[in-house]
Every structure is written in structure tokens, then in C-alpha cells.
Amino acid sequence: MNMKMQSVGFKADSKLEAFINQKFKKLEKLESSITGYDVILNVDKSSTKDNKVVEVKIKVPGSELFAKKKSSTFEEAADLVSEALRTQLLKYKEVKANK
């Protein structure tokens, strides 16, 4: 599995990178054909508390899955993205099984 992580406008610490890496590694148990992840961490320039943005694109054979969530912490946003991608992976597996 190849994971590219980019933090825009700040330097992500190793704890955050490890948390995100671990979070998305769990998705591989659901679908072994995942070939890579592109993760973008960004701080939205808004005055609200929920300004941490996590975007993830997962590469699977024949498709790409994408989710973007915003929250007050990167960890919480990563949890939300992980759940959204989990749902998409389940649908992907279902479609793949029916072919």
C-alpha cells in the first residue's frame, strides 16, 4: 500500500501522521486490492472551530473512492473520512462481486 500524505500550510507532526496511517490501514482489511491513498490535510481559513479538513482518495482497481470531511480536529475529521470510505468500499465490493 502506498500512502502519500500532504499537509497544506503547516507541518503535520509524527503522531498525527501515525494516527492517520493506522486509521486507513484498517480499511485494507475490508478490501485487499487497495493500491494507494492520497491524503491531504488542510486548515480551512474560516472563523469557525470546525476548520480542520481531511481529504482522502483511495485507489482501487478500476476506480477511485473519495471523501472529504471537516471537523474541529484532524483526528475527528480522519474518523469521519474513514467511515465514509468504509461505506464506499462496501459498495465497491458489492458491485465487484456482482460482476
Side-chain angles (χ1 to χ4, degrees), residues 41-73:
L41 308 174
N42 196 358
V43 179
D44 196 11
K45 291 185 167 96
S46 69
S47 58
T48 64
K49 194 173 92 169
D50 292 347
N51 65 346
K52 310 297 186 296
V53 182
V54 176
E55 298 177 43
V56 179
K57 184 177 8 174
I58 293 182
K59 297 173 188 133
V60 289
S63 189
E64 286 186 344
L65 308 176
F66 179 79
K68 177 180 179 178
K69 298 293 179 183
K70 187 187 288 192
S71 188
S72 60
T73 66

Side-chain angles (χ1 to χ4, degrees), residues 2-58:
N2 180 24
M3 181 180 287
K4 288 192 278 182
M5 194 175 313
Q6 177 183 6
S7 49
V8 180
F10 72 100
K11 172 75 174 119
D13 68 358
S14 57
K15 276 188 187 175
L16 177 60
E17 288 180 358
F19 176 84
I20 289 172
N21 203 349
Q22 177 189 20
K23 182 62 65 180
F24 295 114
K25 245 188 184 342
K26 288 180 183 179
L27 293 176
E28 288 181 44
K29 293 176 184 170
L30 198 61
E31 178 56 55
S32 62
S33 68
I34 294 172
T35 59
Y37 299 89
D38 290 330
V39 180
I40 299 174
L41 308 174
N42 196 358
V43 179
D44 196 11
K45 291 185 167 96
S46 69
S47 58
T48 64
K49 194 173 92 169
D50 292 347
N51 65 346
K52 310 297 186 296
V53 182
V54 176
E55 298 177 43
V56 179
K57 184 177 8 174
I58 293 182

Side-chain angles (χ1 to χ4, degrees), residues 72-84:
S72 60
T73 66
F74 284 113
E75 291 83 1
E76 191 176 324
D79 282 339
L80 295 171
V81 166
S82 176
E83 280 306 307

